[in-house]
Amino acid sequence: MKKWYSFYALAEDSDDLIQAVDNKFNFDSIKLQQIGAEIKEDDRGEKLHQVGAEMVFPAFFGFVPWRHHVEIVTKCKSVVEALFYLQKTIEEEWSRNALIDCMKADLYHNTGTANTNFAEKLPGIQGKIAQEIVKDTYDLSFISLPRGYDETALEEALEQNITRFLLELGTGFAFIGRQKEIVVSGKTRKIDMLFYHIRLKCYVVVELKAVSFEPEFAGKLNFYVNAVNDLIRTPDENPTIGLLICKDKDQTEVQWAFQGIQTPMGVASYDNIKIEEIKKQLPTEEQIQQRIELAEEEFNLSKGKRSRD
């Protein structure tokens, strides 16, 4: 507890930083989760104090369980980083395991840092929110793929683990479908993965690439975003945004590829996919036996046909 207190009390500008986060919340609308201590307004209605204590207690601190606080002050390098995880814990109702996973993935440094044109192509507040919901690098350590996997294998693995993938994308994403079919000028096109973001009130087109970023990828994503805007989006929904997730990217190439494109889109990378062991890629004994029996059956059929001829 002393370490927790000292972490915030001794940091430079800590009071101002904490107050800025405190002011962001409308506490009447927050559903209390696992509150570790009762809190109440003072007579002036300006600040909140912990019951039975003399110290000023930031209101939003009371909405975060104590063990969460311990994890945060133990693993965070700065007050700014700690406040980021406190705010996310409240907004997204993270369990302690979810918090630990996000800190291991270094969500603080990855969130909102993807290469995008959201600030230029979306209205102020929507552009800011859109930037905040995308990451520079997505942690896909929850899936395993064979060596030399392609986009199809990547899509299938993410679809099979869609709940975990939604958690990695962040709060607000709803999965619409994989290989979503759209018809443009009589030709069928298929979007890798289509999502809807509840907070932004817009569709999110996600294209997956099992290779490094290439400039032509931006043109294809632009095409799909425009198609969703014209064929699926309703008048009361916000403009569709596109997100390309590839194995790697070069910032300069992404910036140049975005020049002249009017649709809002971003490019991120992924990491930590587990490569399946060769043993797992080999057929099982049962599969080998089935193949042998099938081969014998085909051979006997072929032999019988030759004898009749």
Side-chain angles (χ1 to χ4, degrees):
M1 293 183 72
K2 179 182 177 181
K3 180 176 181 178
W4 170 75
Y5 179 84
S6 299
F7 181 86
Y8 296 103
L10 301 181
E12 186 177 355
D13 299 326
S14 178
D15 289 344
D16 293 338
L17 292 171
I18 292 173
Q19 189 60 50
V21 175
D22 214 27
N23 292 337
K24 290 182 179 180
F25 291 107
N26 175 11
F27 296 104
D28 292 334
S29 65
I30 296 176
K31 182 180 179 181
L32 305 185
Q33 297 289 328
Q34 303 177 8
I35 298 181
E38 291 183 339
I39 51 178
K40 66 177 182 179
E41 290 190 16
D42 63 7
D43 295 337
R44 297 169 297 172
E46 295 176 349
K47 296 181 179 179
L48 294 174
H49 293 72
Q50 188 175 10
V51 173
E54 296 180 358
M55 66 171 285
V56 174
F57 189 83
F60 72 98
F61 273 35
F63 292 82
V64 179
W66 172 244
R67 293 302 303 175
H68 288 57
H69 278 290
V70 173
E71 294 289 344
I72 289 171
V73 298
T74 300
K75 297 174 181 176
C76 290
K77 300 282 192 296
S78 67
V79 170
V80 176
E81 182 179 1
L83 293 176
F84 169 84
Y85 287 113
L86 288 172
Q87 184 174 342
K88 285 291 185 181
T89 296
I90 297 170
E91 292 175 343
E92 303 187 15
E93 299 181 359
W94 282 347
S95 66
R96 186 153 61 98
N97 285 337
L99 170 65
I100 292 172
D101 288 343
C102 289
M103 287 195 291
K104 282 184 177 179
D106 200 11
L107 185 65
Y108 170 67
H109 290 102
N110 288 325
T111 297
T113 57
N115 297 117
T116 76
N117 61 3
F118 295 155
E120 296 82 19
K121 305 306 178 185
L122 291 172
I125 186 64
Q126 188 184 8
K128 183 179 180 181
I129 296 174
Q131 184 67 44
E132 289 178 352
I133 69 169
V134 295
K135 303 177 183 178
D136 181 62
T137 304
Y138 288 90
D139 181 4
L140 302 187
S141 58
F142 54 89
I143 62 174
S144 299
L145 292 171
R147 291 181 178 86
Y149 63 86
D150 57 13
E151 280 88 10
T152 301
L154 179 58
E155 288 175 33
E156 289 177 350
L158 290 175
E159 184 182 32
Q160 291 169 3
N161 295 271
I162 191 61
T163 300
R164 184 63 185 82
F165 187 39
L166 286 169
L167 289 173
E168 179 61 18
L169 288 173
T171 300
F173 281 89
F175 182 50
I176 304 299
R178 170 178 169 249
Q179 290 295 303
K180 177 67 175 178
E181 185 176 288
I182 55 175
V183 179
V184 180
S185 299
K187 297 180 180 179
T188 297
R189 310 282 185 177
K190 293 184 178 180
I191 298 170
D192 286 350
M193 304 187 89
L194 184 63
F195 296 85
Y196 191 85
H197 198 274
I198 299 171
R199 186 179 176 192
L200 285 172
K201 290 190 65 178
C202 73
Y203 287 98
V204 181
V205 174
V206 174
E207 282 291 295
L208 300 167
K209 296 295 179 183
V211 295
S212 297
F213 175 81
E214 293 291 343
E216 54 265 32
F217 296 162
K220 185 177 181 181
L221 182 60
N222 179 56
F223 174 85
Y224 285 139
V225 170
N226 287 327
V228 171
N229 275 333
D230 289 345
L231 301 176
I232 301 178
R233 181 174 73 103
T234 60
D236 61 331
E237 291 172 327
N238 289 317
T240 304
I241 64 176
L243 178 60
L244 176 68
I245 304 178
C246 48
K247 183 175 289 186
D248 197 7
K249 59 184 171 62
D250 178 84
Q251 185 172 350
T252 301
E253 286 188 338
V254 173
Q255 290 175 345
W256 286 9
F258 279 178
Q259 290 182 13
I261 290 180
Q262 299 303 312
T263 54
M265 61 176 64
V267 178
S269 58
Y270 64 84
D271 201 358
N272 296 331
I273 287 180
K274 298 175 182 176
I275 300 301
E276 294 177 350
E277 298 176 6
I278 294 179
K279 184 184 295 185
K280 292 182 179 180
Q281 299 176 42
L282 296 175
T284 63
E285 291 183 13
E286 293 77 9
Q287 290 172 328
I288 293 175
Q289 184 62 37
Q290 289 175 358
R291 293 180 186 181
I292 292 175
E293 292 174 357
L294 180 61
E296 289 178 344
E297 184 178 346
E298 291 176 348
F299 175 77
N300 292 331
L301 288 174
S302 177
K303 183 177 179 182
K305 182 179 179 182
R306 285 198 303 269
S307 62
R308 288 195 299 271
D309 294 340

